[in-house]
Amino acid sequence: MVHYKLIYFNLRGRAELARLVLQHQEIVFEDFRFEREEWPKYKAGTPFGQVPVLEVDGKPLAQSNTIARYLARQHGLAGQNDWEQSQADMYVDCIHDLIGGTRPIIYETDKDKQKEMFQKFLQDVVNPHLQKVEQQLIKNGSGFLVGKSITWADLAYYSFFSPMMERLGEAILDSTPHLKKLVAHVGNIPQIKKYVETRPKTAL
Amino acid sequence: MYCKTPWRSGFNRLKGQKAGRSRHTIRILQTDLHCSNMPVYKLRYFNNPRRGRAELARLILHQAGVEFEDIRFPHSEWPAIKPSTPFGQVPVLEVDGQVLAQSNTIARYLARKYGLAGKNDWEQALADMYADNINDLLNAAVPPFMEKDPVKQKEMYEKFMAETIANHVVLIEKQLKKNNTGYLVGNDLTWADLAYYAYFSDFLEVKFGSAFLKDAPLLKALIDRVKALPNIKKWTEFRNSKYPEEN
């Protein structure tokens, strides 16, 4: 049995997609979390001075999407063939871009300014993307983003939009009912639901 | 299993084109000898920046000797093309008419198909990791690139080189030493090496010179090795003369 140790801050952040992949497939792993003050202690031991890092039988793998993709491919959540795997990669890259777009907003300390920035981000970046994704979902016809069954791409959209809905209101997905249904579906999967209810409660 | 037809006839055709064609969509067409068991690839991107987020896919295709239509369109055509893309962005890769978006996804798909991705799941993951590093570095270069005030821009680039780049060079040199094969992953060329070449040589070395590599002999050797690969050399010489570097 391979030993996985996922190393990250005590946050959801960039490690949550990997955690969701592992939880969905019910794979046992060491969910190693440290507080921000402890970071200097661990930084030098990482390949590129960043986390998350996944140790696979002690061998380190860095970069959040690479880690999640590796786990998805090893454990049947990546897509049924090369083309589907690439489609899933593509969707996860889109989420990666959206996460990047939220960085400056998340760290804005003026709450009024932050609210304004979120509204602009929703309007200029998220909504156009949502419309495109909704079209792709309808075209795919299975309720999932890729192929006929769940992939890590669906988990990535859940991972991003579920906290977004908590923060900005469920109505943000009202114009994209298929995506809203998909996010709700993922949230109701028993092992995901149980994990979300019991995971550490963190701001990010 | 893929055609060895030379793409030379494609660029001979291009050499014959008149000056001023750069305003119009330029296509490097497939040769007349089309192999029916080969997918038809069309890579679409802006003609300015000419390399940008599409260049890694081009390097992979050229290194693998795979024919493709290298479509570069002017910004004036973008409003007409944008709605046909999956997410309103380029590059996109059409594979027998089906469309794939996102530059690294496109590059990974091609690398895996043509033996440039790594020899097993672990190596493929390592190559993905290095490509993600480059993606982060590309994003990190955007703020100084976009800065309009030349004095502030110079300052931002200097900080970028002295901190972001210098720090990464130290870490990558360590990884190269640890792997000890001259390549980033395993003992052979992968798209990770092409990604590092594209960023560190084609972008940084061209823009800032080689001083930042003075304490990184293994990284310097890697990018020189990639630069000298026959298919890469042929492509970059052609590309540099046809599409001169634009800062």
Side-chain angles (χ1 to χ4, degrees):
Chain A
M1 252 280 278
V2 110
H3 179 80
Y4 293 130
K5 181 177 178 180
L6 183 62
I7 303 165
Y8 193 58
F9 298 105
N10 184 21
L11 298 170
R12 297 186 310 277
R14 299 275 189 177
E16 199 61 10
L17 181 55
R19 293 187 186 118
L20 289 170
V21 169
L22 289 161
Q23 294 290 350
H24 186 274
Q25 300 304 79
E26 298 179 291
I27 308 287
V28 169
F29 71 105
E30 196 184 335
D31 189 5
F32 187 85
R33 297 162 178 253
F34 55 85
E35 300 302 329
R36 202 164 274 282
E37 312 82 71
E38 299 178 273
W39 175 223
K41 204 162 68 176
Y42 297 108
K43 186 176 163 120
T46 65
F48 302 105
Q50 296 174 319
V51 279
V53 168
L54 177 73
E55 281 180 11
V56 182
D57 286 337
K59 291 184 300 183
L61 190 65
Q63 288 286 357
S64 56
N65 277 0
T66 288
I67 290 167
R69 180 182 307 103
Y70 176 76
L71 293 168
R73 286 184 188 227
Q74 292 299 299
H75 300 289
L77 263 184
Q80 302 299 320
N81 52 52
D82 287 351
W83 186 253
E84 283 193 7
Q85 290 191 359
S86 291
Q87 294 280 298
D89 286 351
M90 179 182 77
Y91 282 113
V92 176
D93 281 353
C94 288
I95 291 296
H96 188 81
D97 289 348
L98 290 180
I99 293 173
T102 61
R103 284 299 119 222
I105 312 174
I106 300 278
Y107 293 120
E108 174 58 55
T109 47
D110 177 342
K111 290 296 168 199
D112 288 331
K113 184 153 195 256
Q114 190 187 57
K115 197 165 169 211
E116 223 175 276
M117 287 169 87
F118 265 124
Q119 287 309 317
K120 189 171 197 295
F121 180 65
L122 264 181
Q123 188 181 302
D124 295 349
V125 180
V126 180
N127 283 336
H129 179 73
L130 285 175
Q131 298 309 315
K132 291 280 198 176
V133 174
E134 184 75 359
Q135 276 169 38
Q136 299 286 340
L137 264 171
I138 293 168
K139 202 162 115 186
N140 192 41
S142 66
F144 299 103
L145 285 164
V146 178
K148 297 193 177 11
S149 51
I150 195 168
T151 64
W152 67 307
D154 304 300
L155 298 181
Y157 273 73
Y158 166 78
S159 188
F160 182 80
F161 282 102
S162 180
M164 272 289 130
M165 286 198 288
E166 277 179 34
R167 189 190 269 277
L168 301 173
E170 294 207 356
I172 62 171
L173 290 190
D174 278 353
S175 69
T176 55
H178 291 81
L179 182 62
K180 192 167 187 181
K181 190 168 171 207
L182 174 60
V183 170
H185 171 82
V186 174
N188 283 323
I189 294 170
Q191 54 273 37
I192 299 293
K193 195 171 173 138
K194 178 156 173 258
Y195 166 63
V196 169
E197 282 167 1
T198 54
R199 73 184 166 192
K201 303 279 177 272
T202 54
L204 294 174
Chain B
M1 265 299 282
Y2 26 91
C3 297
K4 299 283 196 232
T5 45
W7 57 281
R8 204 170 293 130
S9 50
F11 82 81
N12 280 341
R13 207 173 302 163
L14 200 66
K15 271 192 203 165
Q17 286 179 343
K18 299 194 178 83
R21 289 282 286 184
S22 59
R23 283 202 308 282
H24 308 285
T25 304
I26 294 176
R27 293 159 190 258
I28 299 177
L29 297 173
Q30 292 172 323
T31 62
D32 298 317
L33 237 69
H34 176 67
C35 297
S36 57
N37 60 354
M38 260 283 256
V40 174
Y41 293 118
K42 297 186 193 203
L43 182 67
R44 289 181 203 277
Y45 195 58
F46 298 110
N47 68 354
N48 172 8
R50 295 178 177 115
R51 293 174 207 163
R53 299 271 186 171
E55 194 61 15
L56 182 52
R58 293 186 189 116
L59 290 170
I60 292 166
L61 287 161
H62 282 291
Q63 172 58 22
V66 174
E67 296 172 20
F68 69 106
E69 205 173 327
D70 191 358
I71 300 168
R72 299 148 183 271
F73 56 86
H75 281 257
S76 56
E77 286 184 24
W78 178 226
I81 293 172
K82 183 171 167 149
S84 69
T85 64
F87 303 107
Q89 295 174 320
V90 279
V92 290
L93 178 73
E94 269 176 50
V95 184
D96 286 337
Q98 290 197 288
V99 185
L100 199 59
Q102 290 284 359
S103 55
N104 266 8
T105 288
I106 290 167
R108 181 181 308 102
Y109 175 78
L110 294 168
R112 284 182 190 230
K113 211 165 166 80
Y114 296 108
L116 278 171
K119 296 195 167 59
N120 52 51
D121 291 352
W122 185 250
E123 284 193 5
Q124 289 191 0
L126 291 177
D128 287 351
M129 176 182 78
Y130 286 115
D132 282 351
N133 285 347
I134 293 301
N135 195 50
D136 287 349
L137 292 175
L138 277 167
N139 288 341
V142 169
F145 183 77
M146 302 286 276
E147 176 56 54
K148 301 272 188 277
D149 175 350
V151 170
K152 185 146 197 265
Q153 187 186 51
K154 184 164 185 277
E155 224 172 85
M156 287 173 85
Y157 268 130
E158 276 167 11
K159 186 171 194 282
F160 170 73
M161 290 300 288
E163 293 176 12
T164 308
I165 294 300
N167 290 343
H168 192 78
V169 168
V170 167
L171 294 172
I172 207 72
E173 190 73 5
K174 229 189 325 202
Q175 294 293 331
L176 280 166
K177 189 165 181 190
K178 206 163 111 184
N179 194 39
N180 198 28
T181 63
Y183 297 102
L184 282 166
V185 178
N187 56 8
D188 208 349
L189 184 78
T190 64
W191 68 300
D193 304 302
L194 298 178
Y196 269 73
Y197 156 75
Y199 191 86
F200 282 94
S201 181
D202 230 10
F203 167 41
L204 293 186
E205 245 189 334
V206 167
K207 198 172 173 60
F208 298 108
S210 307
F212 75 96
L213 290 167
K214 64 174 169 29
D215 296 322
L218 297 176
L219 179 58
K220 178 96 177 71
L222 172 63
I223 64 185
D224 287 346
R225 181 175 299 114
V226 173
K227 211 186 284 188
L229 290 168
N231 286 356
I232 299 296
K233 188 162 188 284
K234 195 160 68 174
W235 162 241
T236 54
E237 280 171 0
F238 167 75
R239 175 201 73 189
N240 293 352
S241 68
K242 208 67 213 173
Y243 310 113
E245 171 67 48
E246 192 183 53
N247 287 324

